[in-house]
């Protein structure tokens, strides 16, 4: 999913599909990208073996070192001051309920905007004007 999302993002970027009137769809896309990363992070802990446990402890320590809100965010992620069973159920709830719900809602909005605005033509397709002459791409 991460690879496909980057391919999709590159396609929309190189086709200039982020420009007016599709700015909002680009912004929704960026939020979808961040949510996909949150899915990766929360999903990684779920096997709860040594590798996933220590990798997630490192991630929560990095979060905890962030300025101002870092310690609060780390406490929120861990479900308390200590890393333990509560952390696992919290990551599970975030991974299978919270983020999928947000992703489904945002994909709905994303596709609604695509249906409303249409897709951007590839740069190599020049628009035809009324008199049949090829003109600037619109
Ligand atoms: C869960 C992730 C995503 C899904 C399922 C998704 C799905 C889609 C689909 C089906 C389309 C219409 C077909 C197309 O133009 O390719 C579309 C268009 C678009 N997407 Fe996404 N997208 C996602 C993430 C993103 C991201 C990360 C960005 C950019 C940051 C983005 C920006 C756009 C834009 C600007 C369009 C309009 C394209 C155009 O006008 O041709 N999307 N998206």
């Amino acid at each position: 999913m991460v690879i496909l999302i980057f391919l999709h993002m590159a396609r929309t970027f190189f086709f200039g599909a982020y420009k007016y009137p599709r700015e909002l769809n680009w912004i929704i896309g960026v939020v979808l990208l961040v949510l996909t990363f949150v899915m990766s992070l929360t999903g990684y802990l779920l096997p709860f073996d040594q590798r996933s446990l220590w990798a997630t402890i490192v991630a929560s320590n990095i979060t905890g070192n962030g300025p101002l809100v870092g310690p609060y965010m780390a406490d929120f992620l861990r479900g308390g001051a200590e890393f333990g069973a509560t952390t696992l159920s919290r990551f599970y709830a975030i991974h299978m309920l919270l983020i999928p719900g947000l992703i489904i809602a945002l994909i709905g909005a994303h596709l609604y905007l695509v249906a409303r605005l249409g897709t951007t033509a590839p740069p190599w397709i020049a628009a035809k004007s009324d008199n049949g002459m090829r003109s600037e791409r619109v």
Side-chain angles (χ1 to χ4, degrees):
M1 182 164 174
V2 172
I3 293 169
L4 288 179
I5 216 170
F6 271 109
L7 288 175
H8 175 62
M9 205 172 153
R11 204 281 293 170
T12 49
F13 178 78
F14 287 117
F15 281 21
Y18 55 85
K19 293 179 195 162
Y20 175 85
R22 298 184 181 83
E23 301 96 324
L24 180 60
N25 226 10
W26 177 266
I27 292 166
I28 292 174
V30 172
V31 179
L32 282 168
L33 178 70
V34 173
L35 291 178
T36 305
F37 292 150
V38 178
M39 282 296 273
S40 309
L41 178 85
T42 50
Y44 200 79
L45 178 67
L46 300 185
F48 219 53
D49 55 14
Q50 286 294 316
R51 184 198 295 258
S52 71
L53 176 78
W54 289 106
T56 314
I57 287 178
V58 169
S60 90
N61 287 344
I62 292 172
T63 308
N65 281 321
L68 300 175
V69 290
Y72 299 104
M73 283 174 69
D75 275 5
F76 170 78
L77 276 181
R78 281 189 299 254
E82 298 293 329
F83 204 97
T86 328
T87 318
L88 179 61
S89 44
R90 171 150 301 196
F91 270 55
Y92 181 55
I94 295 175
H95 186 80
M96 65 89 192
L97 209 65
L98 184 69
I99 305 298
L102 289 172
I103 287 182
I104 289 168
L106 285 175
I107 287 181
H110 202 68
L111 294 184
Y112 170 76
L113 285 176
V114 170
R116 245 191 102 118
L117 303 169
T119 49
T120 306
W124 56 86
I125 294 187
K128 274 191 180 172
S129 66
D130 284 347
N131 60 15
M133 301 282 286
R134 286 192 164 260
S135 64
E136 281 285 301
R137 189 168 75 92
V138 283

